[in-house]
Each structure stands twice: as structure tokens, then as C-alpha cells.
Amino acid sequence: MHRKPIILILTSRDERAGLSKNLADSIKKIGTHNVVVISDDKYSSRQKTSRLDRLVQMQEDYQQILVEKSRKIKSGKKGVKSGRAFRISNAVKRYRPELVLAVTPYAYFALTEAKRKAGFSTAIFYVMPYFVLDKQSYGDVDSTFIVENQDVKSALVAQGVPSRKVMTMGLPYDIEKKTPLEVAALKQELGLPKTMSVFLNATKKDGVEELFRLLLDQGGVINTVVYAGDNKMGGELRLIADEYNANNVVILQREEQVDEYLTACDTVITKYDVSTIYKAFKLGKPVITFGGTAHANREIDYLVSHGLVMHARENLEIVGLTYRLIETGVAATYVRAGEKWVENASIDNIANYLVSYIGY
């Protein structure tokens, strides 16, 4: 019986918006390849106590430590006998994939570490989830990069990555855009008023309670859908909503609810979150960003410089920017810019590129 070739996808706990599953589904839909997805609960430290493993849960801006740590690792048989590199190498031997695709920074650096230590020849691909290249060096790694824009490609080439190994294809965050009539029907189905609804994407660390209160202070002018992300945070936000006797609030706690409400809302207010921002561009929603790590601020500065998002330096400014979008034609300018930016980006294009790869 003929065995379909396999693409192995490596992911980790820092993945956003079901990226590995969506890519796997798109690849399998083509019909030529099977896909195996492995997360770090299978290949990383079983004790979950190493510094490298804790970084996934502790912070977003950990790429520098990952690179520095991976570069200190010396190749040799001793290192391959245990740990993360051994488990990844075993997966490559077991599945014999045509290529291995990393979809998070953690997965990518773990994968390149394993290739250096184990010496396998399988090609590595990396969907780089950035609008701006981070400060790391990639020129010494034999990988193929799928990047969001030409500026990232130019930066990689300047580091010594061959131009043919950097594909500018956008990011694989797809979402179906609906017509205005379909959006109106969706609002009614979800019980959202016809007036302005904002989608708030923030965590406790981002000061979500203060932001939530500022939006509730606007009364019935602004309806708020907030993605809380967990039961505890959701409960705390409900208590705040009860203080205001607010009946124009929806609190989401499951990630699978996000796309539907994101589609129905008129404006997106978000911490730096590449998947939420990219989907907002595709849906034609203006975006207000705030806060973040050093890397997130570099990303936001890039988006602001291209007229793609508005940025609030403090929480109170978010309300002012929201009214600016309501009361002027500014929103249309940002909508057009975002839609144009992502018009050629498609998860299916990336899937077709991957399945067409022929190793040499």
C-alpha cells in the first residue's frame, strides 16, 4: 500500500489561535500528504522545571534566551541520548517526514537544537510569527522561513540567509469575512446591540479590569465583548459588570468563541497579539493596540508606521481613540490599509507551498 508522505508540525504552549491544527487541516485537504502535530508536552522536559520550559509560561519576550541557550549546546552523541533533542530526533526517525515545520519560537529553537545535536538531514521550515524581525541571528541556521513581509525577508537576507530560502507569504491566520448584512444578522443572533461594539483582548497583566471599567463608564454608547481567557478572570469581570448593572457586556472564556464575536464587533482593542490583529485586518476592523513587551512594542511601532493600527500609550487614551473611530471617517482609512496589507495572505497558499516542496 502506498504511503502518503508526511509533514511533521512542531508546536508548543505559546501557539495562538489553533495555528497548527488549521495548517494541518489545510494540508490534509489537499490530499497528497498526511500531517503529524507534536506539541512540547511530548518533546520537552517531562518535569517542566527547566528554565527553557518555564519561559513559555512566564513571558512572551523569551527569544533571546532561547537562542543564547541553544548556541551553547555542543553537538555529540552524549547530548542526543536524553532530553528534548532526543525526543524530537526520535520523532523525525519514526515518521520520516518530508519536512518539519515549526510554528512557534519555542518549537523552532528546540527543533534547530535537535538538528544540530542529532545531525538529521530533514529540512526545517519555520512560520515566523512577526511583522518585524527580532534581534536574533538566523544566518547560521539551515532553515526555510515563511515570513509576513518583505522587510522581514530583507533583514534575514542581510543576516546571511539565502533569498531563495525566505518566502514572503503573510501569516496563516485565516477568518471568513462577512458582508454587512451577514454581520448585522450575526449581531442579532449573538444578542449584540446595533450600536458600536468593541472587542477587548487583554489579560490581568495588561490591566484588563481598568480597561473594562473605562469602557463601562461610557454607558450604552459602547458595547463591550471581552475575551477573559479563564474562569477566574471571567468571574472577576462579571462582578465588575454587576457593579455597573451593565447589560451590554459579553464575557468570553473559551478561545473557540473568539472568531464569531470578533467578526460581529466593530472595533478591536487589543494587547499585542499577532493572531487577533491579523484577523482584524482580514475582517476589515480598525485596531487599537496598547502596552506590551519590548518585542511587542517594536511590532506595534512597525504597524503604526504603516498606518495599520492606532496605538494608545495609556488606558484613558483608548477611550478617546474609540470615539475618534466612531465620530470620524478615520476608521475607513485603517480598514482599507489593513485589508490591502493582508489581501494576498492565505493559509491555503502556505499549505500548497509546503506540499510542493521537494527535498534535494
Side-chain angles (χ1 to χ4, degrees), residues 21 66 83 155 178 212 219 234 236 238 274-275 283 291 298 329 345 355:
K21 181 183 184 304
L66 286 169
K178 296 185 180 295
F212 190 49
E236 291 175 7
R238 284 192 179 88
V274 65
S275 63
L283 290 169
R298 289 194 296 272
V355 303

Side-chain angles (χ1 to χ4, degrees), residues 112-132:
T112 55
E113 169 196 87
K115 185 168 184 176
R116 278 193 297 272
K117 294 184 73 172
F120 56 80
S121 60
T122 308
I124 289 177
F125 284 65
Y126 177 32
V127 176
M128 187 173 284
Y130 308 134
F131 294 99
V132 179

Side-chain angles (χ1 to χ4, degrees), residues 125-322:
F125 284 65
Y126 177 32
V127 176
M128 187 173 284
Y130 308 134
F131 294 99
V132 179
L133 187 67
D134 57 27
K135 294 181 178 180
Q136 319 322 323
S137 173
Y138 296 86
D140 61 343
V141 178
D142 182 25
S143 305
T144 298
F145 300 91
I146 297 172
V147 301
E148 204 284 326
N149 59 67
Q150 186 62 38
D151 290 330
V152 174
K153 176 170 183 173
S154 297
L156 284 169
V157 171
Q159 290 188 3
V161 179
S163 179
R164 63 183 173 79
K165 302 201 79 173
V166 187
M167 306 301 298
T168 306
M169 304 186 75
L171 296 174
Y173 295 111
D174 275 356
I175 188 167
E176 182 185 357
K177 184 176 181 180
K178 296 185 180 295
T179 66
L181 284 176
E182 289 172 330
V183 171
L186 181 59
K187 277 189 175 187
Q188 184 174 10
E189 179 185 334
L190 297 174
L192 294 176
K194 294 180 180 179
T195 51
M196 164 72 79
S197 294
V198 301
F199 184 93
L200 173 59
N201 177 35
T203 65
K204 198 176 188 73
K205 181 179 67 176
D206 305 309
V208 65
E209 298 99 329
E210 181 183 352
L211 286 171
F212 190 49
R213 287 182 182 278
L214 284 170
L215 292 171
L216 293 180
D217 282 338
Q218 311 313 307
V221 178
I222 297 175
N223 311 296
T224 304
V225 175
V226 57
Y227 175 47
D230 63 68
N231 290 333
K232 182 179 179 182
M233 192 69 252
E236 291 175 7
L237 293 178
R238 284 192 179 88
L239 289 175
I240 294 173
D242 289 343
E243 285 179 33
Y244 284 78
N245 294 315
N247 58 8
N248 59 339
V249 168
V250 177
I251 298 170
L252 309 179
Q253 294 173 200
R254 301 195 312 275
E255 191 172 11
E256 57 267 28
Q257 297 175 293
V258 166
D259 282 5
E260 192 171 44
Y261 280 90
L262 193 63
T263 301
C265 286
D266 303 289
T267 297
V268 177
I269 300 171
T270 182
K271 63 181 180 179
Y272 179 73
D273 178 347
V274 65
S275 63
T276 299
I277 292 171
Y278 219 69
K279 287 178 179 180
F281 290 167
K282 292 202 164 193
L283 290 169
K285 312 290 183 183
V287 178
I288 299 170
T289 59
F290 59 88
T293 63
H295 177 78
N297 287 331
R298 289 194 296 272
E299 298 276 306
I300 290 170
D301 287 345
Y302 180 83
L303 296 173
V304 169
S305 72
H306 285 79
L308 294 167
V309 303
M310 305 176 86
H311 183 56
R313 300 293 174 184
E314 55 185 33
N315 286 344
L316 192 57
E317 190 180 352
I318 290 174
V319 176
L321 291 177
T322 303

Side-chain angles (χ1 to χ4, degrees), residues 55 90 134 163 323 340:
L55 286 168
N90 267 3
D134 57 27
S163 179
Y323 277 110
K340 184 171 179 56

Side-chain angles (χ1 to χ4, degrees), residues 315-336:
N315 286 344
L316 192 57
E317 190 180 352
I318 290 174
V319 176
L321 291 177
T322 303
Y323 277 110
R324 188 178 170 202
L325 291 173
I326 296 173
E327 296 170 355
T328 70
V330 171
T333 301
Y334 283 95
V335 166
R336 285 193 297 270

